[in-house]
């Protein structure tokens, strides 16, 4: 390692004084102006990770659902999954090291992780559409180059596209071709095959209005349109030509505020969906004849996909282990429906798809979704092989047809990470195949009214949680106060947790009526404000 060159380059990407960052739920996130040094360090770290794993590593420059002025970065591991937890700690140490400590930290990581410095390193880089992303991705390439790593810059891509590309490169094309075109070809071929048997879309039912959060999703959907059949009519809105990224639009806005993007025109019954800024989340919604808004979030998506897969597995006569993985944000009704009506085992993990992904890997088929619309389905190698074999060799026509649909479903799903485009195509295919309208899908179960709020505190790390973030351990007395408040309302539940992507504490509450959920969320917010060092004005009610 040429430490002198590292030191020289590091001076060009100087660490801003007083900024201390942590590799959080999805990498580093903060104001873009504070990230140049972190980006450089992540270039260095990716080279070490690549040498250690003898694989291509990905670096995505994005702050996903955060506002335009923020940015962020995360590393992608060899099979397209999130960075291993031990390396998250290395990332935090490296990013926070002062210039004179850099050499010691790099050496220590190499020793601890047995990095073979003689091995070559290859890194692929992608970025979202933020105005700060291009320059920051150049800081990443400086870090990669100074340690002698090779790289390929894929430029503007969705986060899931880069995850897909990393996986393709490391599986030598088995997962698909490692290009954005390869991604379009793989998904569109599976979508066309899957919807061949559907009758409904021939009547023009596959018509969808898409809010792209003024982000990268719009660009990529427009490119992908050429690969998709004309029967899928996409009206792409919030495409970045007018509005600001994630501002009053996008999956996070729609989910949290439980209303359509501002200025989004919707006809009654029209099927609509929203992506987030880097197109790794999706939620669906519609308004009914009375003008009421209905949200179909990640829980409803998980339920739809699980129902579809379970029916096919029964038809194909396949016996596999199957589970749904949710987080504490999952609506109580969804968990009850999955467990009691669908008889599907449900597990609860900590927020962050990295946690859900690992749990889902324990099953032949693991469906994981966060309520915010971030999720996917994982198939074990054994289950995938069984399905592919049956799709080819099965003598029973009915079973073979079911296996073929399962096989195309596997190809349509981006198994590396939650992917708004892939999830959207799968949902469209399922609705077409099952001849289901969105109100019919919505009617599977009724959500308990719920409310999410954010509270500003001086240091959100004063809140520590346990039991998959459903209970607060610190500060003292907080959980007891929450328990007392929850007792006031029927069917109520509430929890608080520090966000890993924004400088806030998140509050979630659900109850039998919207008014109760709103009151409970507000009361819990006040408790957080008082016991966890709230700053600024005390939280206002959800209605205000
Ligand atoms: C990221 C993570 C998600 C997580 C979300 C919010 O999403 O990938 O798993 O649910 O942040 O996390 P937190 O509540 O800790 O801020 P995205 O879409 O922003 O990458």
């Amino acid at each position: 390692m040429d430490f002198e060159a590292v030191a020289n380059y590091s001076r060009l990407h100087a660490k801003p004084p007083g900024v201390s960052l942590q590799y959080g739920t999805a990498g580093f996130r903060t104001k873009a102006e504070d990230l140049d040094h972190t980006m450089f360090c992540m270039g260095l770290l990716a080279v070490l990770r690549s040498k250690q794993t003898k694989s291509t590593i990905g670096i995505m420059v994005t702050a996903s659902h955060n506002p335009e002025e923020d940015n962020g970065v995360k590393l992608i591991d060899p099979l397209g999954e999130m960075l291993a937890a031990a390396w998250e700690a290395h990332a935090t140490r490296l990013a926070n090291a002062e210039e004179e400590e850099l050499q010691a930290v790099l050496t220590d990581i190499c020793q601890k992780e047995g990095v073979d410095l003689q091995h070559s390193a290859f890194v692929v880089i992608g970025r979202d559409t933020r105005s700060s992303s291009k320059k920051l991705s150049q800081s990443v390439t400086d870090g990669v180059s100074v340690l002698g790593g090779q790289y390929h810059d894929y430029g503007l891509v969705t986060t899931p596209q880069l995850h897909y590309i990393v996986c393709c490169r490391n599986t030598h094309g088995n997962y698909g071709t490692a290009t954005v075109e390869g991604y379009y070809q793989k998904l569109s071929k599976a979508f066309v095959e899957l919807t061949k048997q559907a009758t409904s879309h021939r009547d023009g039912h596959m018509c969808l209005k898409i809010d792209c959060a003024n982000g990268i999703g719009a660009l990529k959907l427009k490119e992908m349109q050429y690969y998709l059949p004309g029967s899928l009519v996409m009206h792409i809105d919030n495409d970045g030509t007018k509005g600001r990224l994630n501002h009053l639009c996008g999956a996070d806005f729609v989910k949290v505020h439980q209303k359509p993007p501002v200025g989004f025109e919707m006809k009654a019954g029209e099927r609509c969906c929203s992506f987030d800024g880097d197109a790794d989340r999706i939620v669906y919604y519609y308004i009914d004849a009375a003008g009421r808004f209905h949200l179909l979030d990640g829980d409803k998506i998980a339920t739809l996909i699980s129902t579809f897969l379970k029916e096919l597995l029964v038809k194909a006569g396949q016996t596999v282990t199957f589970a749904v993985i949710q987080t504490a944000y999952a609506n109580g009704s969804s968990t009850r429906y999955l467990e009691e009506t669908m008889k599907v085992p449900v597990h609860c993990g900590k927020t962050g798809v990295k946690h859900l992904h690992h749990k889902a890997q324990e099953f032949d088929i693991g469906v994981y979704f966060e309520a915010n619309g971030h999720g996917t389905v994982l198939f074990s190698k054994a289950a995938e092989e069984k399905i592919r074999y049956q799709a080819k060799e099965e003598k029973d026509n009915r079973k073979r047809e079911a296996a073929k649909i399962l096989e195309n479903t596997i190809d349509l799903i981006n198994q590396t990470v939650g992917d708004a485009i892939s999830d959207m195509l799968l949902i469209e295919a399922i609705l077409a195949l099952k001849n289901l309208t969105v109100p019919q899908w919505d009617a599977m179960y009724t959500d308990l009214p719920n409310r999410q709020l954010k509270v500003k505190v001086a240091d959100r790390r004063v809140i520590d949680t346990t039991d998959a973030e459903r209970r607060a351990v610190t500060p003292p007395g907080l959980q007891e106060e929450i328990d007392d408040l929850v007792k006031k309302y029927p069917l109520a539940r509430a929890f608080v947790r520090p966000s890993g992507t924004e400088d806030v504490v998140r509050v979630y509450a659900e109850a039998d009526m919207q008014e109760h959920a709103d009151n409970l969320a507000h009361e819990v917010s006040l408790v957080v404000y008082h016991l966890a060092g709230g700053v600024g004005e005390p939280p206002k009610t959800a209605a205000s």
Side-chain angles (χ1 to χ4, degrees):
M1 233 187 302
D2 182 351
F3 288 118
E4 205 182 313
V6 173
N8 288 339
Y9 263 88
S10 165
R11 261 170 241 130
L12 296 176
H13 299 283
K15 183 173 172 298
V19 175
S20 164
L21 301 173
Q22 203 181 350
Y23 198 99
T25 313
F28 292 103
R29 289 213 188 151
T30 190
K31 295 273 166 282
E33 66 210 33
D34 287 334
L35 276 168
D36 172 52
H37 177 75
T38 309
M39 296 286 167
F40 172 72
C41 290
M42 289 309 99
L44 301 175
L45 192 73
V47 170
L48 301 190
R49 182 70 173 150
S50 174
K51 284 175 187 283
Q52 187 223 22
T53 56
K54 302 184 172 40
S55 306
T56 297
I57 294 297
I59 301 190
M60 185 70 197
V61 176
T62 180
S64 192
H65 75 273
N66 293 49
E68 167 81 39
E69 59 272 22
D70 287 0
N71 215 321
V73 59
K74 66 172 176 179
L75 266 62
I76 303 170
D77 255 1
L79 292 178
E81 70 276 45
M82 300 290 193
L83 181 67
W87 282 75
E88 289 189 1
H90 299 324
T92 300
R93 243 182 101 204
L94 191 62
N96 292 319
E98 297 303 330
E99 197 188 306
E100 60 279 10
E101 298 166 336
L102 218 49
Q103 179 173 342
V105 173
L106 288 169
T107 310
D108 190 51
I109 295 171
C110 290
Q111 274 167 4
K112 281 204 176 107
E113 297 293 344
V115 175
D116 175 4
L117 286 170
Q118 300 312 313
H119 205 277
S120 59
F122 198 84
V123 178
V124 291
I125 301 159
R127 64 171 197 272
D128 70 12
T129 53
R130 276 160 219 270
S131 51
S132 58
S133 291
K134 188 158 188 197
K135 192 155 180 297
L136 290 174
S137 73
Q138 284 160 357
S139 311
V140 169
T141 57
D142 274 358
V144 175
S145 305
V146 77
L147 281 190
Q150 303 284 307
Y151 66 85
H152 182 93
D153 186 356
Y154 281 84
L156 291 167
V157 284
T158 69
T159 296
Q161 283 175 337
L162 195 69
H163 283 256
Y164 160 89
I165 285 168
V166 172
C167 181
C168 293
R169 291 191 83 110
N170 290 316
T171 52
H172 313 292
N174 271 346
Y175 192 63
T177 308
T179 58
V180 172
E181 289 70 33
Y183 169 94
Y184 296 145
Q185 278 157 357
K186 180 178 175 184
L187 266 61
S188 56
K189 181 168 178 275
F191 180 75
V192 169
E193 286 300 318
L194 203 48
T195 48
K196 260 184 192 160
Q197 284 119 316
T199 48
S200 58
H201 75 278
R202 290 190 203 118
D203 316 327
H205 282 185
M206 282 166 97
C207 193
L208 180 65
K209 196 161 173 186
I210 309 162
D211 151 35
C212 288
N214 293 313
I216 184 74
L219 241 76
K220 297 296 150 182
L221 268 187
K222 284 177 187 174
E223 285 174 14
M224 194 173 186
Q225 246 168 349
Y226 296 104
Y227 298 81
L228 290 167
S231 52
L232 175 63
V233 184
M234 300 190 288
H235 298 287
I236 299 171
D237 209 331
N238 291 331
D239 63 353
T241 51
K242 293 187 294 282
R244 275 162 54 202
L245 180 71
N246 295 328
H247 182 63
L248 306 178
C249 62
D252 200 59
F253 175 86
V254 173
K255 167 68 183 159
V256 172
H257 297 276
Q258 302 180 34
K259 61 181 185 195
V262 172
F264 198 69
E265 279 169 26
M266 293 166 71
K267 294 190 207 90
E270 193 177 14
R271 192 152 76 236
C272 301
C273 67
S274 282
F275 291 6
D276 69 342
D278 65 339
D280 60 4
R281 299 193 205 172
I282 184 168
V283 293
Y284 269 66
Y285 44 91
Y286 69 99
I287 46 167
D288 62 24
R292 270 191 307 264
F293 176 76
H294 297 259
L295 175 69
L296 295 97
D297 63 5
D299 302 335
K300 282 259 156 94
I301 295 172
T303 310
L304 178 74
I305 296 175
S306 301
T307 309
F308 176 70
L309 291 175
K310 281 213 81 177
E311 284 169 2
L312 286 170
L313 290 166
V314 170
K315 259 193 209 157
Q318 291 274 8
T319 44
V320 293
T321 58
F322 188 102
V324 175
I325 329 292
Q326 303 183 314
T327 69
Y329 291 103
N331 195 279
S333 295
S334 75
T335 315
R336 250 189 307 282
Y337 180 82
L338 285 162
E339 284 180 336
E340 291 168 17
T341 309
M342 287 186 60
K343 311 281 181 221
V344 170
V346 180
H347 298 266
C348 183
K350 282 165 73 173
T351 298
V353 283
K354 59 189 177 193
H355 301 296
L356 307 190
H357 195 92
H358 288 135
K359 187 72 194 168
Q361 282 172 324
E362 292 174 18
F363 306 91
D364 285 323
I365 301 181
V367 178
Y368 73 81
F369 262 90
E370 295 185 296
N372 63 23
H374 202 168
T376 187
V377 185
L378 302 187
F379 295 82
S380 71
K381 212 167 166 29
E384 195 171 324
E385 276 167 10
K386 261 165 66 180
I387 289 165
R388 292 200 192 275
Y389 180 81
Q390 195 187 19
K392 230 161 129 198
E393 304 293 340
E394 173 68 61
K395 300 282 177 291
D396 181 321
N397 288 347
R398 208 176 116 85
K399 285 185 176 173
R400 193 180 57 250
E401 278 316 304
K404 272 190 184 162
I405 298 178
L406 281 168
E407 188 182 32
N408 286 316
T409 304
I410 293 172
D411 290 335
L412 183 53
I413 290 169
N414 185 346
Q415 291 190 55
T416 63
V417 77
D419 180 338
I421 294 180
S422 154
D423 289 340
M424 177 193 86
L425 292 174
L426 178 62
I427 293 164
E428 289 303 303
I430 295 175
L431 295 179
L433 281 164
K434 289 175 71 73
N435 205 1
L436 212 60
T437 63
V438 184
Q440 285 167 336
W441 166 24
D442 192 29
M444 279 178 156
Y445 64 84
T446 307
D447 274 323
L448 277 172
N450 58 88
R451 178 65 60 197
Q452 273 189 59
L453 296 174
K454 300 179 193 183
V455 185
K456 271 269 190 203
V457 298
D459 179 2
R460 65 195 198 275
R461 285 170 302 184
V462 300
I463 296 190
D464 195 11
T465 62
T466 184
D467 188 20
E469 305 180 318
R470 289 174 287 197
R471 297 191 68 78
V473 182
T474 60
L478 175 60
Q479 188 57 50
E480 290 71 18
E481 296 245 14
I482 296 174
D483 289 342
D484 287 344
L485 292 169
V486 164
K487 279 186 207 138
K488 286 169 53 181
Y489 304 101
L491 301 177
R493 192 167 70 85
F495 66 89
V496 303
R497 54 174 286 277
S499 162
T501 61
E502 296 173 56
D503 190 13
V504 294
V505 173
R506 298 202 194 281
V507 172
Y508 176 87
E510 64 183 33
D512 61 332
M513 288 160 57
Q514 191 62 54
E515 196 191 339
H516 290 166
D518 288 348
N519 289 346
L520 179 57
H522 179 234
E523 289 157 0
V524 172
S525 300
L526 284 173
V527 170
V528 169
Y529 180 85
H530 291 300
L531 293 183
V535 293
E537 290 288 304
K540 298 202 169 63
T541 58
S544 56

